[in-house]
Amino acid sequence: MSMLQKMFLAVALTSGIATGASASGTSEPPGIETAKPMSSAEIYRLYNQNTWMWKAGAGYFSAKARRFTAWSRENGSPSFGMGRWFITESGKLCFNADWHAKTGTATAITCFSHRKKSGLIYQKREPDGQWYVFKSAPAQATDEFAKLRHGDYVRSQLGGIETSVSKTK
């Protein structure tokens, strides 16, 4: 597999993460210009031991060694990711994972910036996503935040996805 194919694979595998929220428009939400980056501790509390449920998959942020595991069926193609998650001083949550699919394996680092103001949490996929309200004040059932669930909801699907991917390699 060429480097270009690996890069395409990594982008395709992670493209479904929070795309519904970030595709909601090109104008920034009101208040974002004065919102402050979230602290590392705040981001840790937000994601630690939670699963982020995606449109066609999920990613789990384990406390143990900051392990990140995920599965996806984006565009009907099964894939899984394994790696680590980390938080930067500037309010970013990132995960560095090796993504495995029938077409091969590729490494991808995916990051989301977080800001807060007056109880609202804003999020933006880096480097070129759009800011959107991640958590309203008060929280709404339609917030992306509502897709965070306490516990590991990845493990139950991961074995089957791994088997499906490895059968065709």
Side-chain angles (χ1 to χ4, degrees), residues 10-23 52 54 92-93 95 99 108-114 122-132:
V11 169
L13 291 173
T14 59
S15 66
I17 303 168
T19 54
S22 60
W52 191 355
W54 303 323
K92 289 181 190 171
L93 163 80
F95 40 95
W99 288 89
I109 298 176
T110 306
C111 294
F112 292 87
S113 288
H114 294 78
Y122 300 95
Q123 185 184 69
K124 176 178 103 163
R125 183 168 174 163
E126 294 295 348
D128 53 8
Q130 299 291 320
W131 286 107
Y132 57 91

PDB file of all heavy atoms in Angstrom, residues 10-23 52 54 92-93 95 99 108-114 122-132:
ATOM      1  N   ALA A  10      -6.703   6.677   6.194  1.00  0.00           N
ATOM      2  CA  ALA A  10      -6.812   7.302   7.512  1.00  0.00           C
ATOM      3  C   ALA A  10      -7.833   8.430   7.504  1.00  0.00           C
ATOM      4  O   ALA A  10      -8.639   8.562   8.420  1.00  0.00           O
ATOM      5  CB  ALA A  10      -5.456   7.819   7.966  1.00  0.00           C
ATOM      6  N   VAL A  11      -7.837   9.241   6.455  1.00  0.00           N
ATOM      7  CA  VAL A  11      -8.804  10.334   6.360  1.00  0.00           C
ATOM      8  C   VAL A  11     -10.217   9.771   6.223  1.00  0.00           C
ATOM      9  O   VAL A  11     -11.149  10.216   6.884  1.00  0.00           O
ATOM     10  CB  VAL A  11      -8.467  11.268   5.179  1.00  0.00           C
ATOM     11  CG1 VAL A  11      -9.601  12.229   4.901  1.00  0.00           C
ATOM     12  CG2 VAL A  11      -7.190  12.032   5.465  1.00  0.00           C
ATOM     13  N   ALA A  12     -10.391   8.760   5.399  1.00  0.00           N
ATOM     14  CA  ALA A  12     -11.718   8.168   5.203  1.00  0.00           C
ATOM     15  C   ALA A  12     -12.247   7.547   6.486  1.00  0.00           C
ATOM     16  O   ALA A  12     -13.418   7.672   6.813  1.00  0.00           O
ATOM     17  CB  ALA A  12     -11.665   7.124   4.093  1.00  0.00           C
ATOM     18  N   LEU A  13     -11.369   6.878   7.229  1.00  0.00           N
ATOM     19  CA  LEU A  13     -11.804   6.202   8.447  1.00  0.00           C
ATOM     20  C   LEU A  13     -12.238   7.170   9.522  1.00  0.00           C
ATOM     21  O   LEU A  13     -13.132   6.880  10.306  1.00  0.00           O
ATOM     22  CB  LEU A  13     -10.683   5.309   8.986  1.00  0.00           C
ATOM     23  CG  LEU A  13     -10.352   4.095   8.132  1.00  0.00           C
ATOM     24  CD1 LEU A  13      -9.124   3.383   8.677  1.00  0.00           C
ATOM     25  CD2 LEU A  13     -11.529   3.148   8.069  1.00  0.00           C
ATOM     26  N   THR A  14     -11.600   8.319   9.599  1.00  0.00           N
ATOM     27  CA  THR A  14     -11.931   9.257  10.664  1.00  0.00           C
ATOM     28  C   THR A  14     -12.871  10.368  10.205  1.00  0.00           C
ATOM     29  O   THR A  14     -13.244  11.216  10.990  1.00  0.00           O
ATOM     30  CB  THR A  14     -10.653   9.882  11.257  1.00  0.00           C
ATOM     31  OG1 THR A  14      -9.942  10.557  10.221  1.00  0.00           O
ATOM     32  CG2 THR A  14      -9.783   8.831  11.897  1.00  0.00           C
ATOM     33  N   SER A  15     -13.295  10.344   8.953  1.00  0.00           N
ATOM     34  CA  SER A  15     -14.131  11.435   8.446  1.00  0.00           C
ATOM     35  C   SER A  15     -15.539  11.444   9.031  1.00  0.00           C
ATOM     36  O   SER A  15     -16.172  12.477   9.074  1.00  0.00           O
ATOM     37  CB  SER A  15     -14.209  11.382   6.921  1.00  0.00           C
ATOM     38  OG  SER A  15     -14.891  10.220   6.514  1.00  0.00           O
ATOM     39  N   GLY A  16     -16.024  10.314   9.486  1.00  0.00           N
ATOM     40  CA  GLY A  16     -17.386  10.256  10.014  1.00  0.00           C
ATOM     41  C   GLY A  16     -17.520  10.740  11.433  1.00  0.00           C
ATOM     42  O   GLY A  16     -18.625  10.839  11.943  1.00  0.00           O
ATOM     43  N   ILE A  17     -16.438  11.057  12.099  1.00  0.00           N
ATOM     44  CA  ILE A  17     -16.489  11.464  13.494  1.00  0.00           C
ATOM     45  C   ILE A  17     -16.967  12.906  13.591  1.00  0.00           C
ATOM     46  O   ILE A  17     -16.308  13.817  13.127  1.00  0.00           O
ATOM     47  CB  ILE A  17     -15.102  11.318  14.161  1.00  0.00           C
ATOM     48  CG1 ILE A  17     -14.610   9.890  14.037  1.00  0.00           C
ATOM     49  CG2 ILE A  17     -15.158  11.783  15.605  1.00  0.00           C
ATOM     50  CD1 ILE A  17     -13.157   9.716  14.397  1.00  0.00           C
ATOM     51  N   ALA A  18     -18.110  13.098  14.168  1.00  0.00           N
ATOM     52  CA  ALA A  18     -18.683  14.428  14.429  1.00  0.00           C
ATOM     53  C   ALA A  18     -18.880  15.251  13.166  1.00  0.00           C
ATOM     54  O   ALA A  18     -18.886  16.459  13.225  1.00  0.00           O
ATOM     55  CB  ALA A  18     -17.832  15.201  15.442  1.00  0.00           C
ATOM     56  N   THR A  19     -19.046  14.617  12.027  1.00  0.00           N
ATOM     57  CA  THR A  19     -19.251  15.388  10.816  1.00  0.00           C
ATOM     58  C   THR A  19     -20.642  15.996  10.757  1.00  0.00           C
ATOM     59  O   THR A  19     -20.810  17.048  10.180  1.00  0.00           O
ATOM     60  CB  THR A  19     -19.008  14.535   9.550  1.00  0.00           C
ATOM     61  OG1 THR A  19     -19.817  13.370   9.626  1.00  0.00           O
ATOM     62  CG2 THR A  19     -17.566  14.183   9.398  1.00  0.00           C
ATOM     63  N   GLY A  20     -21.620  15.348  11.360  1.00  0.00           N
ATOM     64  CA  GLY A  20     -22.967  15.902  11.347  1.00  0.00           C
ATOM     65  C   GLY A  20     -23.019  17.250  12.037  1.00  0.00           C
ATOM     66  O   GLY A  20     -23.608  18.195  11.539  1.00  0.00           O
ATOM     67  N   ALA A  21     -22.357  17.362  13.163  1.00  0.00           N
ATOM     68  CA  ALA A  21     -22.366  18.622  13.896  1.00  0.00           C
ATOM     69  C   ALA A  21     -21.521  19.673  13.192  1.00  0.00           C
ATOM     70  O   ALA A  21     -21.898  20.824  13.106  1.00  0.00           O
ATOM     71  CB  ALA A  21     -21.848  18.406  15.314  1.00  0.00           C
ATOM     72  N   SER A  22     -20.373  19.284  12.670  1.00  0.00           N
ATOM     73  CA  SER A  22     -19.488  20.270  12.064  1.00  0.00           C
ATOM     74  C   SER A  22     -19.977  20.711  10.701  1.00  0.00           C
ATOM     75  O   SER A  22     -19.528  21.712  10.177  1.00  0.00           O
ATOM     76  CB  SER A  22     -18.061  19.734  11.984  1.00  0.00           C
ATOM     77  OG  SER A  22     -18.019  18.564  11.206  1.00  0.00           O
ATOM     78  N   ALA A  23     -20.910  19.976  10.106  1.00  0.00           N
ATOM     79  CA  ALA A  23     -21.419  20.346   8.791  1.00  0.00           C
ATOM     80  C   ALA A  23     -22.645  21.247   8.892  1.00  0.00           C
ATOM     81  O   ALA A  23     -23.292  21.523   7.907  1.00  0.00           O
ATOM     82  CB  ALA A  23     -21.768  19.087   8.009  1.00  0.00           C
ATOM     83  N   TRP A  52     -17.781   7.709  22.840  1.00  0.00           N
ATOM     84  CA  TRP A  52     -18.394   8.696  21.959  1.00  0.00           C
ATOM     85  C   TRP A  52     -19.078   7.912  20.845  1.00  0.00           C
ATOM     86  O   TRP A  52     -18.422   7.248  20.048  1.00  0.00           O
ATOM     87  CB  TRP A  52     -17.332   9.624  21.405  1.00  0.00           C
ATOM     88  CG  TRP A  52     -17.824  10.851  20.699  1.00  0.00           C
ATOM     89  CD1 TRP A  52     -19.115  11.198  20.411  1.00  0.00           C
ATOM     90  CD2 TRP A  52     -17.008  11.909  20.201  1.00  0.00           C
ATOM     91  NE1 TRP A  52     -19.151  12.405  19.765  1.00  0.00           N
ATOM     92  CE2 TRP A  52     -17.861  12.866  19.610  1.00  0.00           C
ATOM     93  CE3 TRP A  52     -15.646  12.146  20.178  1.00  0.00           C
ATOM     94  CZ2 TRP A  52     -17.393  14.025  19.010  1.00  0.00           C
ATOM     95  CZ3 TRP A  52     -15.175  13.302  19.586  1.00  0.00           C
ATOM     96  CH2 TRP A  52     -16.041  14.238  19.015  1.00  0.00           C
ATOM     97  N   TRP A  54     -20.806   7.467  17.449  1.00  0.00           N
ATOM     98  CA  TRP A  54     -20.795   8.155  16.162  1.00  0.00           C
ATOM     99  C   TRP A  54     -21.913   7.626  15.293  1.00  0.00           C
ATOM    100  O   TRP A  54     -22.550   6.622  15.606  1.00  0.00           O
ATOM    101  CB  TRP A  54     -19.449   7.953  15.463  1.00  0.00           C
ATOM    102  CG  TRP A  54     -18.270   8.395  16.270  1.00  0.00           C
ATOM    103  CD1 TRP A  54     -18.195   9.477  17.111  1.00  0.00           C
ATOM    104  CD2 TRP A  54     -16.991   7.758  16.339  1.00  0.00           C
ATOM    105  NE1 TRP A  54     -16.948   9.557  17.677  1.00  0.00           N
ATOM    106  CE2 TRP A  54     -16.183   8.516  17.227  1.00  0.00           C
ATOM    107  CE3 TRP A  54     -16.441   6.631  15.741  1.00  0.00           C
ATOM    108  CZ2 TRP A  54     -14.870   8.185  17.517  1.00  0.00           C
ATOM    109  CZ3 TRP A  54     -15.131   6.307  16.021  1.00  0.00           C
ATOM    110  CH2 TRP A  54     -14.352   7.076  16.899  1.00  0.00           C
ATOM    111  N   LYS A  92      -7.276  20.885  23.534  1.00  0.00           N
ATOM    112  CA  LYS A  92      -7.586  19.900  22.488  1.00  0.00           C
ATOM    113  C   LYS A  92      -7.603  18.485  23.043  1.00  0.00           C
ATOM    114  O   LYS A  92      -6.753  18.102  23.838  1.00  0.00           O
ATOM    115  CB  LYS A  92      -6.544  19.940  21.375  1.00  0.00           C
ATOM    116  CG  LYS A  92      -6.600  21.150  20.511  1.00  0.00           C
ATOM    117  CD  LYS A  92      -5.541  21.060  19.419  1.00  0.00           C
ATOM    118  CE  LYS A  92      -5.410  22.374  18.693  1.00  0.00           C
ATOM    119  NZ  LYS A  92      -4.266  22.377  17.790  1.00  0.00           N
ATOM    120  N   LEU A  93      -8.576  17.711  22.588  1.00  0.00           N
ATOM    121  CA  LEU A  93      -8.613  16.272  22.797  1.00  0.00           C
ATOM    122  C   LEU A  93      -8.112  15.661  21.489  1.00  0.00           C
ATOM    123  O   LEU A  93      -8.594  16.020  20.419  1.00  0.00           O
ATOM    124  CB  LEU A  93     -10.038  15.785  23.048  1.00  0.00           C
ATOM    125  CG  LEU A  93     -10.222  14.275  22.871  1.00  0.00           C
ATOM    126  CD1 LEU A  93      -9.727  13.536  24.106  1.00  0.00           C
ATOM    127  CD2 LEU A  93     -11.648  13.928  22.563  1.00  0.00           C
ATOM    128  N   PHE A  95      -6.694  11.824  19.570  1.00  0.00           N
ATOM    129  CA  PHE A  95      -6.423  10.395  19.648  1.00  0.00           C
ATOM    130  C   PHE A  95      -5.566  10.003  18.466  1.00  0.00           C
ATOM    131  O   PHE A  95      -5.774  10.432  17.343  1.00  0.00           O
ATOM    132  CB  PHE A  95      -7.680   9.528  19.780  1.00  0.00           C
ATOM    133  CG  PHE A  95      -8.869   9.921  18.953  1.00  0.00           C
ATOM    134  CD1 PHE A  95      -9.101   9.346  17.725  1.00  0.00           C
ATOM    135  CD2 PHE A  95      -9.787  10.834  19.439  1.00  0.00           C
ATOM    136  CE1 PHE A  95     -10.212   9.682  16.983  1.00  0.00           C
ATOM    137  CE2 PHE A  95     -10.906  11.168  18.708  1.00  0.00           C
ATOM    138  CZ  PHE A  95     -11.118  10.601  17.463  1.00  0.00           C
ATOM    139  N   TRP A  99      -5.550   2.567  12.364  1.00  0.00           N
ATOM    140  CA  TRP A  99      -6.852   2.154  11.849  1.00  0.00           C
ATOM    141  C   TRP A  99      -6.653   1.001  10.884  1.00  0.00           C
ATOM    142  O   TRP A  99      -5.841   1.070   9.966  1.00  0.00           O
ATOM    143  CB  TRP A  99      -7.550   3.321  11.152  1.00  0.00           C
ATOM    144  CG  TRP A  99      -8.028   4.337  12.125  1.00  0.00           C
ATOM    145  CD1 TRP A  99      -7.335   5.421  12.600  1.00  0.00           C
ATOM    146  CD2 TRP A  99      -9.282   4.353  12.789  1.00  0.00           C
ATOM    147  NE1 TRP A  99      -8.095   6.108  13.500  1.00  0.00           N
ATOM    148  CE2 TRP A  99      -9.296   5.476  13.634  1.00  0.00           C
ATOM    149  CE3 TRP A  99     -10.405   3.531  12.731  1.00  0.00           C
ATOM    150  CZ2 TRP A  99     -10.401   5.794  14.429  1.00  0.00           C
ATOM    151  CZ3 TRP A  99     -11.496   3.846  13.520  1.00  0.00           C
ATOM    152  CH2 TRP A  99     -11.492   4.976  14.357  1.00  0.00           C
ATOM    153  N   ALA A 108      -3.561   7.584  12.139  1.00  0.00           N
ATOM    154  CA  ALA A 108      -4.165   8.910  12.034  1.00  0.00           C
ATOM    155  C   ALA A 108      -4.234   9.545  13.417  1.00  0.00           C
ATOM    156  O   ALA A 108      -4.552   8.875  14.394  1.00  0.00           O
ATOM    157  CB  ALA A 108      -5.567   8.817  11.435  1.00  0.00           C
ATOM    158  N   ILE A 109      -3.923  10.823  13.475  1.00  0.00           N
ATOM    159  CA  ILE A 109      -4.127  11.619  14.682  1.00  0.00           C
ATOM    160  C   ILE A 109      -5.315  12.524  14.402  1.00  0.00           C
ATOM    161  O   ILE A 109      -5.327  13.258  13.414  1.00  0.00           O
ATOM    162  CB  ILE A 109      -2.883  12.451  15.052  1.00  0.00           C
ATOM    163  CG1 ILE A 109      -1.703  11.535  15.354  1.00  0.00           C
ATOM    164  CG2 ILE A 109      -3.192  13.361  16.241  1.00  0.00           C
ATOM    165  CD1 ILE A 109      -0.405  12.284  15.637  1.00  0.00           C
ATOM    166  N   THR A 110      -6.333  12.449  15.255  1.00  0.00           N
ATOM    167  CA  THR A 110      -7.540  13.243  15.112  1.00  0.00           C
ATOM    168  C   THR A 110      -7.673  14.108  16.358  1.00  0.00           C
ATOM    169  O   THR A 110      -7.561  13.597  17.477  1.00  0.00           O
ATOM    170  CB  THR A 110      -8.771  12.323  14.970  1.00  0.00           C
ATOM    171  OG1 THR A 110      -8.538  11.403  13.897  1.00  0.00           O
ATOM    172  CG2 THR A 110     -10.027  13.126  14.716  1.00  0.00           C
ATOM    173  N   CYS A 111      -7.888  15.414  16.169  1.00  0.00           N
ATOM    174  CA  CYS A 111      -7.971  16.339  17.305  1.00  0.00           C
ATOM    175  C   CYS A 111      -9.218  17.206  17.220  1.00  0.00           C
ATOM    176  O   CYS A 111      -9.681  17.555  16.136  1.00  0.00           O
ATOM    177  CB  CYS A 111      -6.746  17.254  17.340  1.00  0.00           C
ATOM    178  SG  CYS A 111      -5.193  16.404  17.661  1.00  0.00           S
ATOM    179  N   PHE A 112      -9.736  17.562  18.397  1.00  0.00           N
ATOM    180  CA  PHE A 112     -10.882  18.445  18.540  1.00  0.00           C
ATOM    181  C   PHE A 112     -10.539  19.524  19.563  1.00  0.00           C
ATOM    182  O   PHE A 112     -10.131  19.209  20.679  1.00  0.00           O
ATOM    183  CB  PHE A 112     -12.111  17.680  19.029  1.00  0.00           C
ATOM    184  CG  PHE A 112     -12.654  16.712  18.023  1.00  0.00           C
ATOM    185  CD1 PHE A 112     -12.159  15.420  17.959  1.00  0.00           C
ATOM    186  CD2 PHE A 112     -13.643  17.099  17.143  1.00  0.00           C
ATOM    187  CE1 PHE A 112     -12.657  14.522  17.034  1.00  0.00           C
ATOM    188  CE2 PHE A 112     -14.142  16.204  16.202  1.00  0.00           C
ATOM    189  CZ  PHE A 112     -13.645  14.909  16.143  1.00  0.00           C
ATOM    190  N   SER A 113     -10.710  20.788  19.195  1.00  0.00           N
ATOM    191  CA  SER A 113     -10.542  21.898  20.133  1.00  0.00           C
ATOM    192  C   SER A 113     -11.828  22.089  20.912  1.00  0.00           C
ATOM    193  O   SER A 113     -12.926  21.824  20.396  1.00  0.00           O
ATOM    194  CB  SER A 113     -10.204  23.189  19.384  1.00  0.00           C
ATOM    195  OG  SER A 113      -8.897  23.136  18.890  1.00  0.00           O
ATOM    196  N   HIS A 114     -11.687  22.557  22.149  1.00  0.00           N
ATOM    197  CA  HIS A 114     -12.837  22.788  23.025  1.00  0.00           C
ATOM    198  C   HIS A 114     -12.704  24.160  23.681  1.00  0.00           C
ATOM    199  O   HIS A 114     -11.632  24.507  24.180  1.00  0.00           O
ATOM    200  CB  HIS A 114     -12.892  21.734  24.137  1.00  0.00           C
ATOM    201  CG  HIS A 114     -13.153  20.357  23.629  1.00  0.00           C
ATOM    202  ND1 HIS A 114     -12.184  19.585  23.049  1.00  0.00           N
ATOM    203  CD2 HIS A 114     -14.285  19.624  23.615  1.00  0.00           C
ATOM    204  CE1 HIS A 114     -12.711  18.424  22.698  1.00  0.00           C
ATOM    205  NE2 HIS A 114     -13.984  18.416  23.032  1.00  0.00           N
ATOM    206  N   TYR A 122     -18.106  24.621  23.259  1.00  0.00           N
ATOM    207  CA  TYR A 122     -17.969  24.636  21.806  1.00  0.00           C
ATOM    208  C   TYR A 122     -16.902  23.609  21.419  1.00  0.00           C
ATOM    209  O   TYR A 122     -15.956  23.364  22.170  1.00  0.00           O
ATOM    210  CB  TYR A 122     -17.514  26.009  21.310  1.00  0.00           C
ATOM    211  CG  TYR A 122     -18.457  27.134  21.659  1.00  0.00           C
ATOM    212  CD1 TYR A 122     -18.264  27.907  22.798  1.00  0.00           C
ATOM    213  CD2 TYR A 122     -19.536  27.443  20.833  1.00  0.00           C
ATOM    214  CE1 TYR A 122     -19.114  28.949  23.112  1.00  0.00           C
ATOM    215  CE2 TYR A 122     -20.399  28.488  21.137  1.00  0.00           C
ATOM    216  CZ  TYR A 122     -20.183  29.242  22.278  1.00  0.00           C
ATOM    217  OH  TYR A 122     -21.026  30.276  22.587  1.00  0.00           O
ATOM    218  N   GLN A 123     -17.042  23.053  20.222  1.00  0.00           N
ATOM    219  CA  GLN A 123     -16.064  22.081  19.739  1.00  0.00           C
ATOM    220  C   GLN A 123     -15.796  22.348  18.263  1.00  0.00           C
ATOM    221  O   GLN A 123     -16.681  22.820  17.535  1.00  0.00           O
ATOM    222  CB  GLN A 123     -16.584  20.651  19.913  1.00  0.00           C
ATOM    223  CG  GLN A 123     -15.562  19.581  19.549  1.00  0.00           C
ATOM    224  CD  GLN A 123     -16.146  18.186  19.632  1.00  0.00           C
ATOM    225  OE1 GLN A 123     -16.984  17.827  18.830  1.00  0.00           O
ATOM    226  NE2 GLN A 123     -15.699  17.418  20.620  1.00  0.00           N
ATOM    227  N   LYS A 124     -14.571  22.023  17.839  1.00  0.00           N
ATOM    228  CA  LYS A 124     -14.196  22.155  16.437  1.00  0.00           C
ATOM    229  C   LYS A 124     -13.196  21.067  16.103  1.00  0.00           C
ATOM    230  O   LYS A 124     -12.223  20.861  16.836  1.00  0.00           O
ATOM    231  CB  LYS A 124     -13.564  23.517  16.186  1.00  0.00           C
ATOM    232  CG  LYS A 124     -13.045  23.712  14.769  1.00  0.00           C
ATOM    233  CD  LYS A 124     -12.485  25.109  14.581  1.00  0.00           C
ATOM    234  CE  LYS A 124     -10.989  25.046  14.603  1.00  0.00           C
ATOM    235  NZ  LYS A 124     -10.359  26.254  14.033  1.00  0.00           N
ATOM    236  N   ARG A 125     -13.436  20.348  15.033  1.00  0.00           N
ATOM    237  CA  ARG A 125     -12.458  19.367  14.577  1.00  0.00           C
ATOM    238  C   ARG A 125     -11.296  20.116  13.949  1.00  0.00           C
ATOM    239  O   ARG A 125     -11.486  21.033  13.149  1.00  0.00           O
ATOM    240  CB  ARG A 125     -13.085  18.419  13.562  1.00  0.00           C
ATOM    241  CG  ARG A 125     -12.063  17.365  13.156  1.00  0.00           C
ATOM    242  CD  ARG A 125     -12.699  16.267  12.400  1.00  0.00           C
ATOM    243  NE  ARG A 125     -11.658  15.382  11.930  1.00  0.00           N
ATOM    244  CZ  ARG A 125     -11.860  14.174  11.519  1.00  0.00           C
ATOM    245  NH1 ARG A 125     -13.059  13.689  11.519  1.00  0.00           N
ATOM    246  NH2 ARG A 125     -10.873  13.433  11.095  1.00  0.00           N
ATOM    247  N   GLU A 126     -10.097  19.732  14.323  1.00  0.00           N
ATOM    248  CA  GLU A 126      -8.906  20.381  13.793  1.00  0.00           C
ATOM    249  C   GLU A 126      -8.396  19.613  12.577  1.00  0.00           C
ATOM    250  O   GLU A 126      -8.591  18.402  12.497  1.00  0.00           O
ATOM    251  CB  GLU A 126      -7.814  20.445  14.884  1.00  0.00           C
ATOM    252  CG  GLU A 126      -8.168  21.331  16.065  1.00  0.00           C
ATOM    253  CD  GLU A 126      -8.290  22.794  15.701  1.00  0.00           C
ATOM    254  OE1 GLU A 126      -7.883  23.196  14.583  1.00  0.00           O
ATOM    255  OE2 GLU A 126      -8.815  23.559  16.517  1.00  0.00           O
ATOM    256  N   PRO A 127      -7.757  20.268  11.650  1.00  0.00           N
ATOM    257  CA  PRO A 127      -7.386  21.681  11.676  1.00  0.00           C
ATOM    258  C   PRO A 127      -8.396  22.611  11.012  1.00  0.00           C
ATOM    259  O   PRO A 127      -8.346  23.813  11.199  1.00  0.00           O
ATOM    260  CB  PRO A 127      -6.081  21.706  10.881  1.00  0.00           C
ATOM    261  CG  PRO A 127      -6.260  20.633   9.855  1.00  0.00           C
ATOM    262  CD  PRO A 127      -7.081  19.556  10.536  1.00  0.00           C
ATOM    263  N   ASP A 128      -9.342  22.091  10.241  1.00  0.00           N
ATOM    264  CA  ASP A 128     -10.160  22.989   9.429  1.00  0.00           C
ATOM    265  C   ASP A 128     -11.666  22.820   9.605  1.00  0.00           C
ATOM    266  O   ASP A 128     -12.441  23.200   8.742  1.00  0.00           O
ATOM    267  CB  ASP A 128      -9.801  22.844   7.949  1.00  0.00           C
ATOM    268  CG  ASP A 128      -9.857  21.401   7.469  1.00  0.00           C
ATOM    269  OD1 ASP A 128     -10.314  20.535   8.242  1.00  0.00           O
ATOM    270  OD2 ASP A 128      -9.426  21.136   6.335  1.00  0.00           O
ATOM    271  N   GLY A 129     -12.076  22.286  10.739  1.00  0.00           N
ATOM    272  CA  GLY A 129     -13.508  22.154  11.004  1.00  0.00           C
ATOM    273  C   GLY A 129     -14.132  23.493  11.379  1.00  0.00           C
ATOM    274  O   GLY A 129     -13.447  24.503  11.510  1.00  0.00           O
ATOM    275  N   GLN A 130     -15.436  23.481  11.572  1.00  0.00           N
ATOM    276  CA  GLN A 130     -16.183  24.665  11.978  1.00  0.00           C
ATOM    277  C   GLN A 130     -16.566  24.534  13.455  1.00  0.00           C
ATOM    278  O   GLN A 130     -16.913  23.439  13.908  1.00  0.00           O
ATOM    279  CB  GLN A 130     -17.458  24.800  11.134  1.00  0.00           C
ATOM    280  CG  GLN A 130     -17.211  24.968   9.656  1.00  0.00           C
ATOM    281  CD  GLN A 130     -16.590  26.309   9.327  1.00  0.00           C
ATOM    282  OE1 GLN A 130     -16.951  27.332   9.905  1.00  0.00           O
ATOM    283  NE2 GLN A 130     -15.647  26.304   8.408  1.00  0.00           N
ATOM    284  N   TRP A 131     -16.545  25.636  14.180  1.00  0.00           N
ATOM    285  CA  TRP A 131     -17.003  25.629  15.560  1.00  0.00           C
ATOM    286  C   TRP A 131     -18.504  25.354  15.609  1.00  0.00           C
ATOM    287  O   TRP A 131     -19.255  25.835  14.758  1.00  0.00           O
ATOM    288  CB  TRP A 131     -16.730  26.974  16.237  1.00  0.00           C
ATOM    289  CG  TRP A 131     -15.301  27.197  16.583  1.00  0.00           C
ATOM    290  CD1 TRP A 131     -14.430  28.043  15.962  1.00  0.00           C
ATOM    291  CD2 TRP A 131     -14.568  26.588  17.648  1.00  0.00           C
ATOM    292  NE1 TRP A 131     -13.209  27.981  16.574  1.00  0.00           N
ATOM    293  CE2 TRP A 131     -13.258  27.097  17.612  1.00  0.00           C
ATOM    294  CE3 TRP A 131     -14.887  25.650  18.629  1.00  0.00           C
ATOM    295  CZ2 TRP A 131     -12.276  26.710  18.504  1.00  0.00           C
ATOM    296  CZ3 TRP A 131     -13.906  25.259  19.526  1.00  0.00           C
ATOM    297  CH2 TRP A 131     -12.615  25.792  19.465  1.00  0.00           C
ATOM    298  N   TYR A 132     -18.941  24.585  16.583  1.00  0.00           N
ATOM    299  CA  TYR A 132     -20.351  24.335  16.825  1.00  0.00           C
ATOM    300  C   TYR A 132     -20.551  24.151  18.324  1.00  0.00           C
ATOM    301  O   TYR A 132     -19.602  23.928  19.067  1.00  0.00           O
ATOM    302  CB  TYR A 132     -20.866  23.117  16.045  1.00  0.00           C
ATOM    303  CG  TYR A 132     -20.125  21.827  16.307  1.00  0.00           C
ATOM    304  CD1 TYR A 132     -20.527  20.948  17.306  1.00  0.00           C
ATOM    305  CD2 TYR A 132     -19.017  21.483  15.549  1.00  0.00           C
ATOM    306  CE1 TYR A 132     -19.851  19.760  17.550  1.00  0.00           C
ATOM    307  CE2 TYR A 132     -18.331  20.299  15.772  1.00  0.00           C
ATOM    308  CZ  TYR A 132     -18.748  19.445  16.772  1.00  0.00           C
ATOM    309  OH  TYR A 132     -18.074  18.280  17.005  1.00  0.00           O
TER     310      TYR A 132
END
